[in-house]
Amino acid sequence: QVQLVESGGGLVQAGGSLRLSCAASGRTFSKYAMGWFRQAPGKEREFVAAITWSTTYYADSVKGRFTISRDNAKNTVWLQMHSLSPEDTAVYFCAAVYGMVVVTTAETYNYWGQGTQVTVSS
């Protein structure tokens, strides 16, 4: 019951920042836990961050640099990224799973966006 569309990706130099947005169409957006995943060429999709209505969780690789947030009134979740490095280059996906539970496993999520490319140059 949720359609997701990511935006905000692009090219940024190392040390720079980007803010990714995920717009959801569902009328019950507030009942879904949201997550961000990323996938680099030739690699598996990896967990980045997740958020319920009150709890956030981050992968060790982005802890202290990335911030996930949401606004239920706007049906939107964001991923604010700072101190980017080439290792952060990947397609970033927004995902949703029904219920206010922190989920870090991609297989558990029910809905996915198409992804937005983030490229960090040296």
Side-chain angles (χ1 to χ4, degrees), residues 40-103:
K43 297 184 178 181
E44 295 184 352
R45 191 167 299 183
E46 66 171 330
F47 170 77
V48 176
I51 186 171
T52 65
W53 60 271
S54 63
T55 304
T56 59
Y57 187 81
Y58 300 92
D60 290 341
S61 60
V62 305
K63 183 180 179 181
R65 299 189 298 120
F66 291 10
T67 301
I68 187 172
S69 61
R70 67 190 295 166
D71 187 332
N72 293 333
K74 297 181 178 180
N75 277 25
T76 303
V77 61
W78 295 273
L79 183 68
Q80 179 66 57
M81 306 183 293
H82 295 294
S83 300
L84 288 165
S85 71
E87 295 179 342
D88 296 313
T89 295
V91 176
Y92 283 71
F93 297 90
C94 178
V97 59
Y98 190 79
M100 288 293 104
V101 179
V102 172
V103 179

